[in-house]
């Protein structure tokens, strides 16, 4: 029962279940059909239990130390080029 409004005209847009199933199969997923809000809630609860994420801690202090050393080396090179001496 989906619709879109184009230039003030409401156009019905039926669901293409075959295309959705083909996309799900091609991407290694699963297609679900829900005829009511209750069925949709049940499906989404099941999907939510399967989908998740994992937080990974990563140390980045080495990058900042390396950047600081690089900037210090550039400052020393600039000082040698400009003033012919190190600061």
């Amino acid at each position: 029962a989906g619709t879109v409004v184009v230039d003030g005209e409401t156009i019905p847009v039926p669901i293409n279940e075959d295309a959705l199933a083909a996309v799900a199969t091609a991407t290694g997923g699963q297609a679900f059909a829900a005829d009511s809000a209750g069925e949709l809630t049940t499906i989404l609860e099941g999907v939510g239990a399967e989908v998740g994420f994992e937080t990974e801690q990563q140390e980045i202090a080495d990058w900042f130390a390396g950047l600081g050393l690089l900037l210090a080396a550039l400052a020393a090179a600039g000082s040698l080029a400009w003033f012919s001496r190190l600061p």
Side-chain angles (χ1 to χ4, degrees), residues 46-67:
V47 170
E50 294 179 19
V51 176
F53 64 93
E54 184 177 313
T55 302
E56 180 179 316
Q57 298 289 329
Q58 192 171 20
E59 183 63 46
I60 60 170
D62 294 342
W63 288 98
F64 284 106
L67 180 62

Side-chain angles (χ1 to χ4, degrees), residues 34 43 57 61 63 66 77 84 86-87:
I43 291 170
Q57 298 289 329
W63 288 98
S84 298
L86 288 175

Side-chain angles (χ1 to χ4, degrees), residues 14-27 30-31:
I15 298 171
N16 187 342
E17 291 183 18
D18 294 335
L20 292 174
V23 169
T25 302
T27 59
Q30 238 180 332

